């Protein structure tokens, strides 16, 4: 398959990171520090550019100010450059004392961090403390970065703990800047009374800087009827589907099963749905060649959701294939960046998918947080004891819709199952993901209009993070995080448990990491404290990245199992209490308010 690396598919320049070398502007002192300060700036830029990519595969670019910044005039010149270069995140660096309020980044809404060099020759730590105090006093929270050990002045290396914080901040900052001015596209409205489907425009506008776009589901049918799609691509897609997508067992009673002719027609329909929803999100220049100029534009949507149930699925084939393929890192056009399409138009889960995708570059798994299985319940039903990571209980994650095929766990690194950014995925791994997936004819009790649902079982031993945004009246959005592992059950145990739900849907068995306290006292408590029926699974233990991102957006974290030493928030958060970090987070977020208020 062709790998489509580094392709920008949304309107708007990719945000860059601005590096601000800060210096003591006094004559004589400045001359002795110019080289050191610029070397710090260059080393940070090199670190970021050599390690970070945007989720679309393009390298993250840094812009270093044209000169060191010793006062307000040079700060203004740097800002003039940053505006031209579309800088969305700033990192200030200094080895010395400087004039804080004269040199600081004062642009509201821009994520900011400051690295103060830990050296004895010049007081970089003094500037760091002073300028962070200025940021806090002015209501412009910034992240402070300071090395653990004293370095010599001629040491231009970046300590490991500083690298970790710089990259953590940069990933979260770029995610914030990338979302800004993009759209969430709601296709349809509220599915079956699920509150997460309700579009809270103030959340999107004030917290994320995004806009909301709306399309009725009838637009999909109109485009199918009027053939508003790329016909050449459709032929390519349906051929690929016939060759690569295995149709699985039909679990419907024989007397209600759809005929072969009806199933073939459903395949054609759902492939067209996939093309159309993608075109609705990002546009398609081919449509303009067919004289559909308006439809060719799309909605510049970085994420979307499809209502489906029930107004659509009672009559038309379901959206499961469309959602699963778009959310995967590959299709008939090759290996490419995954999309973020929320089943049932759960906007809050859709945005949580977007968070995970922007932070890691990987596809996200959307699932129902369906069932807590205690060890006792499993033994009662199957006659067998759970063992290993599953020994204290498991959560069954399963949903008919939009679980990315990457979630099979068929990609690998050193023999271990992983989910990779698309630019690292191989042809062989795509084949394995497809081979591990069957497409079961839709359960007609749920989906009267037919269609196909993906069915696979996620490989075990993958470190993953489950997360979810909820909105609470009077409080606003909160984020939940649960790091853990996927687990594999003995085949006979899996079959017994899986068949009690719907064996035509994809399953992930999840064992959260327990701390013995509060929401992570045991697996039951994790399930009991989860705030909605849906959750997102991201590859890796990325809780600290989600916490940093949430603090930038002023979204408090209501539950997490991330150790304190990994948590990185703006310096101002320390002023809201040190013994109860969760409470301090709530107070800080309330005090500063949404990023774009």
């Amino acid at each position: 398959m062709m790998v489509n690396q580094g392709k920008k598919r949304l309107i708007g320049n990719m945000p860059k990171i601005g590096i601000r070398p800060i210096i003591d502007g006094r004559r004589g002192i400045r001359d002795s520090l110019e080289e050191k300060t610029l070397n710090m700036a260059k080393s940070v830029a090199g670190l970021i550019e050599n390690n970070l990519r945007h989720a679309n595969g393009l390298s993250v670019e840094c812009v270093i100010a044209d000169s060191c910044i010793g006062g307000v005039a040079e700060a203004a010149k740097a800002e003039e450059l940053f505006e031209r270069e579309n800088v969305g995140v700033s990192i200030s660096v200094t080895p010395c004392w400087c004039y804080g309020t004269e040199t600081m980044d004062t642009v509201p809404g821009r994520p900011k961090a400051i690295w103060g060099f830990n050296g004895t020759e010049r007081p970089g730590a003094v500037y760091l403390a002073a300028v962070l105090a200025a940021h806090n006093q002015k209501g412009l929270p910034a992240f402070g970065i300071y090395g653990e050990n004293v370095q010599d002045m001629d040491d231009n290396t970046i300590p490991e703990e500083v690298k970790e914080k710089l990259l953590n901040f940069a990933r979260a900052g770029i995610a914030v800047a990338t979302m800004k001015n993009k759209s969430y596209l709601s296709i349809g409205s509220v599915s079956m009374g699920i509150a997460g489907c309700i579009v809270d425009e103030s959340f999107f506008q004030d917290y994320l800087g995004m806009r909301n776009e709306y399309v009725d589901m009838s637009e999909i049918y109109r485009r199918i009827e009027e053939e508003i799609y790329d016909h050449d691509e459709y032929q390519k897609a349906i051929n690929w589907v016939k060759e690569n997508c295995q149709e699985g067992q039909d679990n419907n009673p024989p007397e209600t099963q759809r005929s072969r002719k009806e199933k073939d027609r459903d395949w054609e329909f759902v492939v067209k749905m996939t093309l159309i929803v993608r075109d609705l999100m990002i546009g398609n220049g081919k449509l303009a060649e067919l004289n559909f100029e308006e439809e060719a534009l799309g909605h510049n949507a970085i994420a979307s959701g499809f209502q489906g149930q029930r107004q659509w699925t009672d009559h038309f084939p379901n959206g499961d294939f469309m959602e699963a393929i778009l959310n995967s890192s590959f299709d008939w056009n090759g290996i490419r960046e995954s999309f973020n399409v929320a089943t049932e138009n759960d906007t809050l889960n859709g945005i949580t998918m977007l968070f995970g995708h922007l932070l890691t570059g990987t596809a996200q798994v959307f699932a129902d947080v369906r069932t807590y299985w205690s060890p006792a319940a499993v033994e009662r039903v199957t006659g067998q004891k759970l063992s290993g990571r599953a020994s204290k209980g498991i959560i069954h994650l399963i949903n008919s819709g939009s679980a990315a095929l990457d979630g099979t766990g068929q990609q690998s690194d050193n023999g271990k199952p992983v989910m990779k950014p698309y630019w690292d995925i191989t042809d062989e791994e795509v084949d394995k993901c497809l081979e591990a997936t069957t497409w079961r004819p839709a359960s007609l009790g749920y989906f009267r209009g037919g269609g196909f649902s993906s069915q696979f079982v996620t490989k075990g031993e993958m470190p993953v993070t489950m997360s979810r945004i909820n909105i609470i009246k009077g409080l606003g959005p909160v984020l939940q995080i649960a790091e853990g592992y996927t687990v594999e059950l003995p085949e006979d145990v899996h079959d017994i448990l899986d068949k009690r739900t719907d064996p035509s849907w994809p399953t992930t068995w999840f064992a959260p990491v327990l701390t013995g306290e509060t929401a992570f006292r045991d697996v039951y408590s994790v399930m009991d404290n989860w705030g909605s029926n849906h959750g997102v699974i991201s590859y890796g233990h990325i809780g600290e990245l989600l916490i940093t991102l949430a603090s930038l957006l002023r979204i408090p974290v209501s539950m997490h199992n991330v150790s304190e030493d990994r948590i990185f928030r703006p310096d101002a958060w320390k002023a809201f209490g040190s013994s109860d970090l969760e409470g301090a987070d709530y107070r800080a977020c309330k005090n500063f308010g949404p990023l774009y208020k």
Side-chain angles (χ1 to χ4, degrees):
M1 300 181 78
M2 178 178 66
V3 179
N4 300 320
Q5 292 202 15
K7 182 177 181 181
K8 185 173 78 73
R9 63 191 183 197
L10 294 168
I11 300 167
N13 294 324
M14 299 306 299
K16 300 176 183 178
I17 295 180
I19 311 297
R20 307 175 74 255
I22 311 297
I23 201 166
D24 186 333
R26 289 174 287 190
R27 186 173 64 251
I29 297 177
R30 178 170 185 150
D31 297 344
S32 65
L33 294 169
E34 199 88 45
E35 182 179 1
K36 172 64 181 179
T37 308
L38 286 174
N39 281 338
M40 286 182 68
K42 291 173 183 176
S43 66
V44 170
L47 173 73
I48 291 170
E49 292 183 340
N50 289 330
N51 286 278
L52 296 190
R53 295 196 197 196
H54 295 281
N56 63 14
L58 292 169
S59 296
V60 173
E61 294 183 47
C62 293
V63 177
I64 301 176
D66 289 335
S67 70
C68 289
I69 299 169
V72 69
E74 287 166 322
K77 289 179 181 178
E79 188 53 41
E80 185 178 44
L81 171 66
F82 288 0
E83 287 181 3
R84 287 199 309 269
E85 292 292 330
N86 195 43
V87 166
V89 182
S90 78
I91 299 176
S92 300
V93 300
T94 188
C96 61
W97 166 256
C98 316
Y99 296 175
T101 59
E102 296 180 21
T103 58
M104 63 189 284
D105 178 353
T106 59
V107 176
R110 176 190 288 161
K112 305 169 181 57
I114 304 143
W115 174 28
F117 185 77
N118 185 359
T120 56
E121 290 88 345
R122 294 286 177 179
V126 178
Y127 172 75
L128 178 63
V131 79
L132 287 173
H135 277 280
N136 297 344
Q137 189 168 333
K138 291 175 177 290
L140 299 168
F143 288 73
I145 301 172
Y146 184 58
E148 293 180 4
N149 297 304
V150 172
Q151 293 179 260
D152 296 331
M153 204 61 172
D154 60 358
D155 182 356
N156 291 315
T157 62
I158 305 177
E160 289 303 315
E161 72 277 8
V162 173
K163 287 181 182 178
E164 184 178 343
K165 289 184 176 180
L166 285 168
L167 293 175
N168 182 325
F169 167 78
R171 285 188 176 95
I174 281 293
V176 169
T178 301
M179 287 186 283
K180 189 176 182 182
N181 296 325
K182 304 302 189 303
S183 302
Y184 179 94
L185 174 63
S186 293
I187 304 172
S189 183
V190 176
S191 173
M192 302 183 296
I194 297 172
C197 310
I198 300 170
V199 177
D200 187 329
E201 288 211 0
S202 62
F203 165 64
F204 282 90
Q205 178 178 312
D206 296 348
Y207 285 89
L208 309 178
M210 291 176 61
R211 64 194 304 157
N212 295 96
E213 290 283 286
Y214 304 90
V215 172
D216 191 87
M217 289 185 290
S218 63
E219 175 65 5
I220 295 175
Y221 187 65
R222 181 184 79 88
R223 293 195 184 199
I224 290 175
E225 284 286 285
E226 297 184 20
E227 298 188 344
I228 307 175
Y229 51 84
D230 183 339
H231 291 235
D232 291 336
E233 186 183 358
Y234 165 70
Q235 198 57 55
K236 178 181 180 181
I238 195 68
N239 291 340
W240 182 86
V241 166
K242 289 177 180 178
E243 185 175 335
N244 294 281
C245 297
Q246 312 166 69
E247 188 175 312
Q249 177 182 339
D250 191 335
N251 291 350
N252 293 292
E255 64 274 13
T256 65
Q257 292 180 10
R258 293 165 78 82
S259 68
R260 183 68 259 163
K261 184 177 181 180
E262 288 174 313
K263 289 176 181 177
D264 290 343
R265 191 163 59 239
D266 285 352
W267 274 118
E268 295 171 358
F269 195 97
V270 298
V271 169
K272 291 173 184 177
M273 283 181 69
T274 307
L275 296 175
I276 289 166
V277 169
R278 181 206 60 196
D279 292 350
L280 283 167
M281 289 182 69
I282 65 170
N284 186 347
K286 291 287 185 179
L287 302 185
E289 298 174 14
L290 300 172
N291 294 320
F292 295 108
E293 289 85 0
E294 183 182 5
E295 290 86 346
L297 296 174
H299 292 266
N300 203 36
I302 197 170
S304 71
F306 175 64
Q307 176 193 332
Q309 298 183 74
R310 287 181 44 214
Q311 287 82 350
W312 179 270
T313 56
D314 278 2
H315 184 67
F316 296 115
N318 64 20
D320 290 4
F321 176 83
M322 172 268 292
E323 293 163 355
I325 288 296
L326 288 177
N327 284 327
S328 299
S329 299
F330 48 84
D331 61 18
W332 42 86
N333 290 319
I335 302 169
R336 46 93 177 127
E337 180 189 4
S338 61
F339 291 82
N340 296 285
V341 184
T343 195
E344 294 162 350
N345 193 31
D346 184 344
T347 65
L348 299 181
N349 224 47
I351 288 301
T352 312
M353 292 173 72
L354 179 60
F355 285 2
H357 177 62
L358 293 177
L359 290 171
T360 67
T362 60
Q364 306 294 295
V365 176
F366 182 117
D368 276 359
V369 185
R370 180 64 70 108
T371 309
Y372 161 64
W373 279 100
S374 68
V378 172
E379 186 173 4
R380 178 182 64 82
V381 171
T382 69
Q384 297 191 44
K385 292 180 179 292
L386 293 174
S387 60
R389 294 191 191 276
S391 62
K392 296 183 179 179
I394 48 177
I395 295 175
H396 193 183
L397 304 176
I398 181 171
N399 188 288
S400 70
S402 56
L405 271 58
D406 304 57
T408 57
Q410 295 293 328
Q411 299 160 23
S412 64
D413 183 22
N414 292 323
K416 297 180 179 179
V418 299
M419 293 171 62
K420 297 178 178 179
Y422 80 91
W423 53 83
D424 287 334
I425 297 173
T426 67
D427 288 358
E428 182 183 11
E429 288 168 333
V430 171
D431 290 341
K432 288 181 177 180
C433 290
L434 290 165
E435 289 167 4
T437 306
T438 59
W439 298 91
R440 302 286 184 90
S443 174
L444 298 177
Y446 286 101
F447 307 117
R448 298 176 195 168
F452 297 91
S453 299
S454 62
Q455 195 282 324
F456 61 76
V457 182
T458 301
K459 275 195 167 186
E461 293 302 313
M462 286 201 296
V464 295
T465 303
M466 184 167 74
S467 58
R468 162 79 189 185
I469 291 174
N470 298 296
I471 291 180
I472 314 299
K473 187 173 179 62
L475 174 62
V478 296
L479 178 65
Q480 297 180 291
I481 300 168
E483 294 184 340
Y485 292 86
T486 62
V487 296
E488 285 185 53
L489 303 181
E491 188 173 349
D492 55 343
V493 175
H494 165 81
D495 287 344
I496 292 171
L497 302 185
D498 204 42
K499 287 176 181 176
R500 291 174 68 101
T501 303
D502 193 315
S504 65
W505 296 349
T507 278
T508 302
W509 297 108
F510 174 63
V513 173
L514 303 177
T515 65
E517 299 177 350
T518 60
F520 294 91
R521 182 171 52 255
D522 48 37
V523 179
Y524 171 80
S525 297
V526 176
M527 181 78 176
D528 190 42
N529 280 276
W530 204 250
S532 185
N533 56 308
H534 291 153
V536 173
I537 292 292
S538 306
Y539 177 76
H541 287 164
I542 63 165
E544 75 276 17
L545 293 174
L546 287 165
I547 288 172
T548 297
L549 175 60
S551 68
L552 283 168
L553 299 171
R554 319 290 191 256
I555 298 174
V557 179
S558 63
M559 64 178 273
H560 71 81
N561 54 349
V562 180
S563 60
E564 187 176 327
D565 61 298
R566 293 166 56 203
I567 295 173
F568 189 37
R569 290 183 170 121
D571 179 78
W573 266 237
K574 299 172 186 174
F576 292 88
S578 58
S579 62
D580 174 16
L581 297 185
E582 188 172 281
D585 182 34
Y586 273 82
R587 292 187 289 274
C589 289
K590 180 179 180 181
N591 178 73
F592 291 109
L595 184 61
Y596 302 105
K597 65 178 179 179

